[in-house]
Structures are given as structure tokens and as C-alpha cells.
Amino acid sequence: MSAWNDRRYYPISQYFKSRFGEKVGKISVSVAETCPNRQSSKMEACIFCDEYGSAAYPFEQENSLREQITSNRIHVQRRLRAKKFLVYFQAYTNTLGRISALEERFDTALAEADILGLVVGTRPDCLPERIFPLFRATAEQSYLMVELGVQSFFDDQLAFLRRGHNAASSIKAIHRLHEETKADIGIHLIFGLPEETDERLIATAERINSLPVDNVKLHNLHVLLNTPLAALYAKGKFIPVELEEYARRVIVFLRHLSPEIAVQRLAAVANRWDELVAPQWTREKMQPLLFIEDKMAQAGHFQGDLYAG
Ligand code: SF4
């Protein structure tokens, strides 16, 4: 496991380092303004989503893309001491709207000398036909990762989250992206959901192992102010899992996940701490990560040690 620098799981930083030969940081930008759920009067926002659509820097949306890259690069540079970067189109659904506008944004980002590639966040059910040639061309000329908000492979959990798509659409999207573009595929998953059993966590890992997925990003379901989940929480109808239990579930999942699949994140990070209602342990940026890694070390567990291959 020395390839992971003594980590218990395969961190995405390690993947980037072997792919690019050096440390690479992700610069988050906010350019998309909405998503299919928020755009349609017939749909509801996802139960956990705040008004900013999961943006790290929502107030920067008024700034040009170039300005956002310039100012956010400084934070990433300081934090990671990286000299090369990927631009992460993070908030809302970036494949909604005019593809020509997205193409212009791609060109703007890739014109910067220290930008090695792009990461595009979107929904599994928002990949129109016309996006595939753009993704293919972009992945051929530089690095491209598509991050899909899969969240769960169980339809009852997706309905609880009010995602507005099912597991079949995620599976279809993953296959199509793999077959028609050379993009890396990252998927977001939420743990700490109702009806979450160890059998389901294992089935999720096995499902991912069977798909052309390059990396996963894990989030605990946390409650933000002014979200539908906050209303449920206030009525006592949703109780977030404690860190101990969340760590246990993550470890069950990781032990069954292929060691070839990189991990972007082990727990949610509240972008705006003033918005966090619960659980309070999400406030600590590094603590959940260290806690989970410690638990794995104490028990001698590694990502993939129960992976059947
Ligand atoms: S999580 Fe994404 S798809 Fe869901 S409401 Fe928020 S921005 Fe829209």
C-alpha cells in the first residue's frame, strides 16, 4: 500500500500525482445559475440543497470566470502548494443551457498556462446529445473529469432526497460517458440516509466496481439552513448519523470498493459554516477524515481488503 503514501485508501491526490507527475489543485468556480429541479415549477429542489446549489464560492458568480480563477487559485495555491490546477465547474448543473456558452467557458479556463484540465459537475439525467462531442473533444485535448451527482443507487433513497432521477439513469449516464468520451468519471454519493444497511453499502461498492467509475466523493447527509431537510430535522423526522456510525458505514463501503478507484473525499465539508444546522461534527474540516483513517488503522483495514476482484 506504499503507493498510497501510508494512507488507508487511494486518495485522489495520489491519482493526480501519478497522472500529471506533480501535485494538482482544484479551483472551484460558480458559473451555472440553476439546475433542472430548480428550473421547473413542477420539480422540487433536492432535500439537502441550499439556495446556492452546492457552490463553494456562490457570491463570486457575478465575477467573470477569469476573475474567479485568479482569486480562487490563490487559496488553493496557499493550501496545497500546488503549481498546476484543474478548474472545477461546481455549482448547480453545468450541462444545462447553451453548449456554446459552456464551450466558451472551457476555452477561457484552458487558456491559462497552469490549468491542466477541467472538472464538470452535473446530474446523471442532464447529459443532452450535444454535450458528448464537446466532452470528447475536450478530453482529447486536455484532462476532463465529469462529476455526476449519483448520490445513491437505490430508488427509495433517491426519492427521499427528491433527486428527480433514478438509479438506472445514473448507470446509463456512466456507461455512455465512458463509451463516448475519454473523460474520467467521478461520482458523488451520500451516506447516512434512511434505509441504509451494510448490505446496501456493500451492494453500492460492488455496483461501482462493475462500472467504469474512476473516483468517488463521499458526503454525509447534513442539514443546512432553509432546506427541506432542515424542516424535517426540526420536526424530528430526520436525525443525522453520529461520526462514529458514519465512519463505520464508510469503512464498510471502502473495504468492498476496488483499490483501483480513487477517493476524492470521505465526508461532507460545509461550505458556509453559518448555514450548518447538524451534525456539528461536519463543522470540523479534518476531524472526520482523521477519525475514519484512525479507525481503519486501528482495525488494520484498507480500501478494497474485502474486494472480491
Ligand atoms: S443538488 Fe443539484 S440538482 Fe439538486 S437542487 Fe441542488 S443544484 Fe439542483
Side-chain angles (χ1 to χ4, degrees):
M1 300 297 172
S2 58
W4 297 348
N5 279 343
D6 298 327
R7 308 289 289 270
R8 294 272 148 180
Y9 64 96
Y10 179 17
I12 192 87
S13 54
Q14 201 68 39
Y15 170 73
F16 286 150
K17 201 155 185 194
S18 44
R19 175 150 191 155
F20 298 113
E22 64 183 302
K23 196 182 272 186
V24 171
K26 263 168 101 182
I27 302 174
S28 297
V29 294
S30 298
V31 289
E33 290 168 359
T34 191
C35 70
N37 287 12
R38 292 179 178 279
Q39 195 183 42
S40 163
S41 56
K42 292 188 196 133
M43 301 279 292
E44 298 169 302
C46 299
I47 199 167
F48 54 84
C49 185
D50 66 5
E51 60 185 304
Y52 307 113
S54 308
Y57 305 107
F59 305 114
E60 294 191 356
Q61 203 155 37
E62 291 157 12
N63 299 340
S64 72
L65 175 56
R66 191 163 286 136
E67 286 166 342
Q68 291 189 47
I69 293 171
T70 303
S71 68
N72 296 338
R73 177 197 276 120
I74 296 167
H75 307 303
V76 182
Q77 219 158 17
R78 254 191 230 135
R79 208 178 65 238
L80 298 180
R81 298 180 192 281
K83 294 196 176 93
K84 294 285 165 57
F85 307 91
L86 304 174
V87 171
Y88 177 25
F89 294 87
Q90 181 183 22
Y92 297 113
T93 302
N94 287 284
T95 51
L96 194 66
R98 284 188 306 118
I99 299 301
S100 57
L102 188 61
E103 191 170 3
E104 274 172 36
R105 289 167 182 158
F106 282 9
D107 290 344
T108 301
L110 290 171
E112 309 261 331
D114 56 0
I115 303 298
L116 299 181
L118 308 173
V119 181
V120 180
T122 190
R123 291 169 54 96
D125 60 346
C126 196
L127 292 169
E129 253 347 282
R130 58 195 190 284
I131 201 76
F132 289 93
L134 174 61
F135 278 176
R136 191 162 45 243
T138 307
E140 275 166 9
Q141 99 179 69
S142 66
Y143 175 81
L144 177 69
M145 185 201 301
V146 180
E147 285 195 13
L148 290 176
V150 168
Q151 319 304 3
S152 168
F153 283 102
F154 294 93
D155 287 346
D156 59 328
Q157 292 179 327
L158 290 168
F160 170 78
L161 293 170
R162 303 187 191 168
R163 288 290 295 170
H165 65 79
N166 57 19
S169 63
S170 296
I171 293 166
K172 189 172 157 203
I174 291 166
H175 279 302
R176 186 134 193 240
L177 278 169
H178 177 67
E179 281 155 20
E180 297 196 27
T181 76
K182 287 190 178 137
D184 273 7
I185 301 172
I187 63 170
H188 293 208
L189 293 170
I190 296 179
F191 291 164
L193 287 165
E195 311 301 330
E196 196 164 78
T197 59
D198 286 7
E199 288 71 27
R200 281 188 166 199
L201 293 165
I202 294 167
T204 299
E206 288 172 349
R207 167 71 75 188
I208 294 166
N209 295 340
S210 74
L211 291 168
V213 168
D214 297 284
N215 64 73
V216 295
K217 195 187 248 184
L218 310 183
H219 303 81
N220 52 298
L221 185 57
H222 62 301
V223 184
L224 299 180
L225 268 182
N226 302 324
T227 59
L229 193 60
L232 277 190
Y233 176 75
K235 288 183 199 150
K237 292 187 176 168
F238 172 72
I239 299 169
V241 291
E242 292 301 330
L243 177 55
E244 179 87 33
E245 173 59 12
Y246 179 73
R248 195 192 67 75
R249 294 187 194 187
V250 167
I251 294 168
V252 168
F253 168 79
L254 285 178
R255 296 188 72 199
H256 290 84
L257 185 69
S258 160
E260 304 288 321
I261 295 174
V263 178
Q264 289 213 47
R265 184 179 281 176
L266 290 182
V269 177
N271 289 321
R272 284 159 305 284
W273 293 1
D274 52 323
E275 276 201 324
L276 180 68
V277 176
Q280 290 309 313
W281 59 263
T282 299
R283 223 169 264 283
E284 309 290 331
K285 204 168 182 175
M286 289 304 289
Q287 196 213 342
L289 166 66
L290 297 175
F291 187 85
I292 295 167
E293 288 206 79
D294 273 359
K295 286 269 169 199
M296 291 181 86
Q298 282 163 20
H301 295 329
F302 284 98
Q303 176 182 338
D305 61 5
L306 296 179
Y307 169 58

